[in-house]
């Protein structure tokens, strides 16, 4: 059984640029969520995808967008990067809602994004 | 609105001590509570998951309890070791009608030899 894998592990971008982060969900998981973790804080929910549709969104602007593919892998895209976007971006996969209570979430190792 | 608070924010102890990390949440209508470990700059490793119908879960030297009515969970670490040094995060979920986790800010633990 494979876990959640994220790529790249580190990334440096310039303010105003665009970035794409990638996530492969754990085998058997059909739901992918993305979180942003600023230094010294807990992760904050960005959005979630289930069966290729956005299934919920946190308090993030539209320049944060995503995709989920038929194999349940996912991308997070951020346009017009700002300095405050510098953070660790975490991907989490899970089973569908009715099974979350029993099995919880599996997180990847994250992508460290630095905007300069 | 659900809010999760973790106390203390940081803890430094000598090796061998038994530790208690605290997590509180404001809304008791949760499905589960999950404790995670995070090493510096790394992702989250799930330690224990407590379903809302359960009172506690144990894994090795770790024991987590849940009291929904009072909005509290504790993570007990027995006989701490330097390798336990990390940030410990608690999260409640799923929340908001979909699979969303609400996290605390974490407790940063340092265990010195």
């Amino acid at each position: 059984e494979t876990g959640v894998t994220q790529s790249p592990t580190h990334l440096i971008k310039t303010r105003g640029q665009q970035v794409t982060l990638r996530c492969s969900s754990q085998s058997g998981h059909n739901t992918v969520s993305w979180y942003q973790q600023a230094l010294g804080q807990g992760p904050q929910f960005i959005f979630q995808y289930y069966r290729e549709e956005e299934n919920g969104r946190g308090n993030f602007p539209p320049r944060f967008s995503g995709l989920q593919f038929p194999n349940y892998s996912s991308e997070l895209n951020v346009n017009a990067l700002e300095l405050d976007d510098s953070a660790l971006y975490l991907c989490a996969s899970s089973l569908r809602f009715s099974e979350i209570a029993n099995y919880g979430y599996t997180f990847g190792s994250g992508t460290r994004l630095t905007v300069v | 609105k659900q809010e999760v608070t973790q106390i203390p924010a940081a803890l430094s102890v000598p090796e061998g001590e038994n530790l208690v990390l605290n997590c509180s949440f404001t809304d008791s209508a949760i499905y589960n509570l999950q404790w995670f470990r995070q090493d510096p700059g790394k992702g989250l490793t799930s330690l224990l998951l407590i379903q809302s119908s359960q009172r506690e879960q144990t894994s090795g030297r770790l024991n987590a309890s849940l009291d929904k009515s009072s909005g509290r969970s504790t993570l007990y670490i027995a006989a701490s070791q330097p390798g336990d040094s990390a940030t410990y995060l608690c999260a409640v979920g799923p929340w908001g009608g979909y699979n969303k986790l609400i996290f605390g800010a974490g407790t940063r633990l340092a265990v010195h030899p």
Side-chain angles (χ1 to χ4, degrees):
Chain A
E1 177 180 282
T2 59
V4 177
T5 58
Q6 292 187 243
S7 62
T9 54
H10 296 87
L11 204 52
I12 299 175
K13 288 288 190 178
T14 302
R15 189 172 48 184
Q17 285 188 316
Q18 179 266 344
V19 68
T20 297
L21 310 182
R22 295 178 174 83
C23 171
S24 294
S25 60
Q26 180 168 314
S27 176
H29 287 184
N30 55 21
T31 302
V32 174
S33 304
W34 287 91
Y35 289 79
Q36 180 195 66
Q37 187 179 23
L39 202 60
Q41 298 181 21
Q44 299 292 315
F45 177 77
I46 303 175
F47 46 55
Q48 175 192 99
Y49 279 82
Y50 172 65
R51 291 186 174 180
E52 303 176 56
E53 299 273 339
E54 185 178 292
N55 190 40
R57 189 176 187 93
N59 189 26
F60 282 82
R63 59 189 185 84
F64 285 78
S65 63
L67 284 172
Q68 187 182 31
F69 301 100
N71 66 353
Y72 305 131
S73 65
S74 176
E75 287 183 354
L76 164 64
N77 300 290
V78 187
N79 294 321
L81 284 167
E82 300 177 359
L83 297 179
D84 285 348
D85 295 334
S86 295
L88 181 68
Y89 288 84
L90 295 163
C91 171
S93 74
S94 58
L95 297 168
R96 62 185 181 204
F97 183 88
S98 60
E99 295 159 331
I100 289 295
N102 295 328
Y103 299 103
Y105 303 79
T106 303
F107 280 79
S109 299
T111 294
R112 170 70 62 187
L113 173 64
T114 302
V115 183
V116 297
Chain B
K1 180 185 175 185
Q2 178 72 275
E3 294 182 358
V4 180
T5 304
Q6 292 189 245
I7 295 174
L11 192 58
S12 180
V13 299
E15 182 177 6
E17 279 204 4
N18 299 323
L19 308 172
V20 176
L21 308 182
N22 297 294
C23 171
S24 62
F25 46 94
T26 55
D27 192 321
S28 62
I30 64 172
Y31 285 86
N32 59 36
L33 185 145
Q34 203 164 353
W35 281 94
F36 294 91
R37 170 184 171 138
Q38 185 173 35
D39 293 300
K42 303 297 184 182
L44 307 183
T45 300
S46 180
L47 298 173
L48 291 165
L49 180 145
I50 312 175
Q51 298 170 26
S52 61
S53 59
Q54 299 174 325
R55 300 283 293 193
E56 65 178 326
Q57 283 286 339
T58 298
S59 176
R61 294 182 295 107
L62 304 179
N63 175 276
S65 66
L66 174 64
D67 185 343
K68 275 184 57 177
S69 60
S70 66
R72 293 179 184 175
S73 176
T74 60
L75 178 66
Y76 176 82
I77 303 176
S80 58
Q81 304 171 358
D84 295 330
S85 298
T87 295
Y88 292 81
L89 294 153
C90 71
V92 298
W95 195 257
Y98 42 86
N99 299 354
K100 171 182 176 179
L101 282 174
I102 307 292
F103 282 87
T107 293
R108 192 171 63 254
L109 173 65
V111 181
H112 48 88

